């Protein structure tokens, strides 16, 4: 058996061991919850039906900068619920383009405290006595925007981000106003027409590239080029 084959076998064994360890830990956790009479939320159930990598994506790893126990307790006390009452948890993700809302299901207080501890980067807001809204920001385009986003220029010369084709006029965000004459004379022929029709944006790299390119032609309220310091 050569060294390469041995290394491949060791890697396969290690992956099996990790999955086994994860399942043992999950089963132990569920057993403890069941013994205490606690219900299992939909989020926890999802953990038990996914592999190790997917489970990390569902709940996420524990962050180094944790919420303090006091901060978590303050949030929980705002709910004004009994210890055995389930809390509806909603996660809203704000992207640079697009917003998504996910129902994480109903959780009891111990599960809720664990979630808040795992994700200190999520902003928590109590919206009713039995509902907690969580908000996170992601520096990327949402899955929907990756399918439908365009950057284009409107009739007033403003560079906009659109959901869907620019002709539908569904503006998500306005960036800045452009010096159209300078843009047309500086860039290759056809670029302005392409911009007017809409430039399809499929990922953050394309998004950043288009914004960076046209920012050279941004003007202030007095129509002076910003790149020249006004």
């Amino acid at each position: 058996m050569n060294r390469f084959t041995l290394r491949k076998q060791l890697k396969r064994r290690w992956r099996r061991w990790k999955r086994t360890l994860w399942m043992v830990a999950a089963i132990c956790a569920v057993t403890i919850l069941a013994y205490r009479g606690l219900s299992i939320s939909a989020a926890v159930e999802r953990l038990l039906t996914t592999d190790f990598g997917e489970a990390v994506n569902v709940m996420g790893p524990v962050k180094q900068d944790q919420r303090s126990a006091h901060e978590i307790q303050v949030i929980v006390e705002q709910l004004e619920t009994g210890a055995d009452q389930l809390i509806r948890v909603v996660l809203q993700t704000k992207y640079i383009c697009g917003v998504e809302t996910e129902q994480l299901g109903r959780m009891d207080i111990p599960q809720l405290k664990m979630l808040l501890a795992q994700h200190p980067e999520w902003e928590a807001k109590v919206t009713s006595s039995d509902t907690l809204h969580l908000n996170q920001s992601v520096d990327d385009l949402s899955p929907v925007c990756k399918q439908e986003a365009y950057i284009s220029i409107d009739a007033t010369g403003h560079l906009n981000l659109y959901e869907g084709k620019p002709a539908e006029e569904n503006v998500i965000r306005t960036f800045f106003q452009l010096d159209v004459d300078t843009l047309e004379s500086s860039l290759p022929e056809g670029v302005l027409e392409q911009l007017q029709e809409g430039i399809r944006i499929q990922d953050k790299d394309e998004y950043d590239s288009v914004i960076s390119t046209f920012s050279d032609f941004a003007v202030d309220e007095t129509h002076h080029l910003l790149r020249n310091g006004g």
Side-chain angles (χ1 to χ4, degrees):
M1 180 182 297
N2 59 41
R3 187 175 303 173
F4 177 74
T5 302
L6 178 60
R7 187 160 52 243
K8 287 181 63 178
Q9 291 184 356
L10 289 175
K11 286 183 178 180
R12 285 198 296 268
R13 290 179 184 177
W14 172 239
R15 286 196 292 268
R16 288 198 297 269
W17 291 339
K18 286 202 299 183
R19 287 196 294 268
T20 301
L21 289 172
W22 165 246
M23 289 304 300
V24 169
I27 291 171
C28 289
V30 173
T31 301
I32 293 172
L33 290 176
Y35 177 77
R36 294 180 178 179
L38 300 178
S39 60
I40 303 173
S41 71
V44 176
E45 289 179 344
R46 276 191 290 169
L47 288 180
L48 299 179
T49 57
T50 56
D51 62 26
F52 180 80
E54 292 172 337
V56 172
N57 291 333
V58 173
M59 296 297 286
V62 176
K63 307 297 182 182
Q64 292 183 351
D65 297 329
Q66 292 291 334
R67 280 190 177 93
S68 68
H70 174 70
E71 289 173 327
I72 293 174
Q73 187 60 34
V74 168
I75 295 171
V76 170
E77 288 177 354
Q78 294 178 43
L79 290 165
E80 300 179 354
T81 59
D84 58 346
Q85 185 172 348
L86 297 180
I87 307 302
R88 187 169 72 94
V89 183
V90 180
L91 174 62
Q92 184 179 75
T93 303
K94 295 181 179 180
Y95 297 86
I96 56 176
C97 168
V99 177
E100 289 189 344
T101 301
E102 179 182 3
Q103 302 289 334
L104 297 185
R106 292 187 174 272
M107 301 183 185
D108 54 41
I109 297 301
Q111 293 166 348
L112 190 59
K113 287 182 176 181
M114 181 183 298
L115 185 66
L116 291 171
Q118 287 178 320
H119 293 282
E121 78 280 9
W122 290 357
E123 179 185 351
K125 182 178 181 180
V126 175
T127 56
S128 70
S129 61
D130 65 346
T131 303
L132 179 69
H133 272 78
L134 301 170
N135 295 281
Q136 68 169 333
S137 297
V138 176
D139 188 30
D140 197 0
L141 278 68
S142 73
V144 173
C145 276
K146 288 179 179 180
Q147 297 295 322
E148 301 181 355
Y150 287 81
I151 290 179
S152 184
I153 187 173
D154 61 22
T156 62
H158 288 88
L159 190 70
N160 299 319
L161 177 66
Y162 295 84
E163 181 178 343
K165 294 185 177 181
E168 300 173 3
E169 298 185 349
N170 187 8
V171 177
I172 299 174
R173 181 176 179 183
T174 297
F175 300 107
F176 38 74
Q177 189 170 13
L178 295 172
D179 183 334
V180 177
D181 292 336
T182 302
L183 185 155
E184 187 173 19
S185 62
S186 301
L187 294 180
E189 183 179 355
V191 171
L192 179 59
E193 287 76 7
Q194 182 183 5
L195 180 61
Q196 290 170 333
E197 293 176 1
I199 298 175
R200 182 76 174 83
I201 304 298
Q202 295 179 294
D203 56 44
K204 188 174 183 297
D205 288 340
E206 292 179 353
Y207 174 92
D208 289 339
S209 176
V210 172
I211 299 303
S212 176
T213 297
F214 291 108
S215 65
D216 287 342
F217 306 97
V219 295
D220 60 18
E221 294 180 354
T222 61
H223 294 273
H224 287 93
L225 282 172
L226 296 178
R227 65 173 177 174
N228 293 332

